[in-house]
Amino acid sequence: MADYDDQNVFAKILRGEIPNKTVYEDEHCLIFHDVNPQAPVHVLAIPKGAYVSMDDFSAKASDAEIAGLIRAIGHAARELGLAESGYRILANHGRDANQEVPHFHVHIAGGERLGPMLPRRRD
Ligand code: AMP
């Protein structure tokens, strides 16, 4: 697993060096609007700890950090009005998933019918 790069864009957001449109914040996590939304509502939930990806977070984060992130995602989705109509959560880890930012993040997307979870396979 790659070492954590503290110059990644989400680390800079957490340090206040880059602005963000915050939806929710607590001791464990920050949730903010994606700068390039792929749905009418598209926000990102990130832990405040230095974790590269889902692999890193699931292996090293404390139970409190993991529970905190999951509870915050549910809370934010309700606050954003997505709980009834539905929403998708998604986290990319590594090359095959095209992870761009090497700080663990969970996408929360909704506000319209989102279509298939993944592109259809070509057989
Ligand atoms: P991923 O491909 O899963 O690593 O997704 C990275 C996401 O971060 C993309 O959806 C980008 O639009 C988003 N992103 C990149 N820079 C920023 C930023 N400064 N503020 C908010 N979202 C960002």
Side-chain angles (χ1 to χ4, degrees), residues 44-68:
L44 301 169
I46 66 173
K48 289 190 170 175
Y51 302 105
V52 176
S53 68
M54 176 62 191
D55 186 52
D56 200 12
F57 186 69
S58 61
K60 295 183 188 161
S62 68
D63 290 355
E65 289 175 297
I66 293 171

Side-chain angles (χ1 to χ4, degrees), residues 5-117:
D5 171 12
D6 69 4
Q7 293 306 305
N8 78 75
V9 66
F10 295 167
K12 291 180 179 178
I13 284 176
L14 285 170
R15 290 195 296 268
E17 296 167 13
I18 293 179
N20 75 93
K21 287 172 60 181
T22 299
V23 168
Y24 175 85
E25 181 169 15
D26 66 19
E27 61 181 315
H28 294 302
C29 71
L30 178 69
I31 302 182
F32 54 98
H33 286 276
D34 194 294
V35 76
N36 183 22
Q38 302 297 309
V41 180
H42 183 181
V43 300
L44 301 169
I46 66 173
K48 289 190 170 175
Y51 302 105
V52 176
S53 68
M54 176 62 191
D55 186 52
D56 200 12
F57 186 69
S58 61
K60 295 183 188 161
S62 68
D63 290 355
E65 289 175 297
I66 293 171
L69 186 71
I70 295 295
R71 290 209 187 279
I73 289 170
H75 173 79
R78 286 189 293 276
E79 290 292 306
L80 290 163
L82 300 176
E84 194 165 324
S85 53
Y87 60 94
R88 181 171 294 156
I89 63 172
L90 181 156
N92 293 314
H93 162 68
R95 181 198 62 201
D96 282 357
N98 292 331
Q99 182 180 1
E100 291 172 7
V101 179
H103 181 112
F104 177 50
H105 51 282
V106 177
H107 297 257
I108 307 166
E112 67 180 8
R113 299 296 292 267
L114 296 170
M117 183 178 71

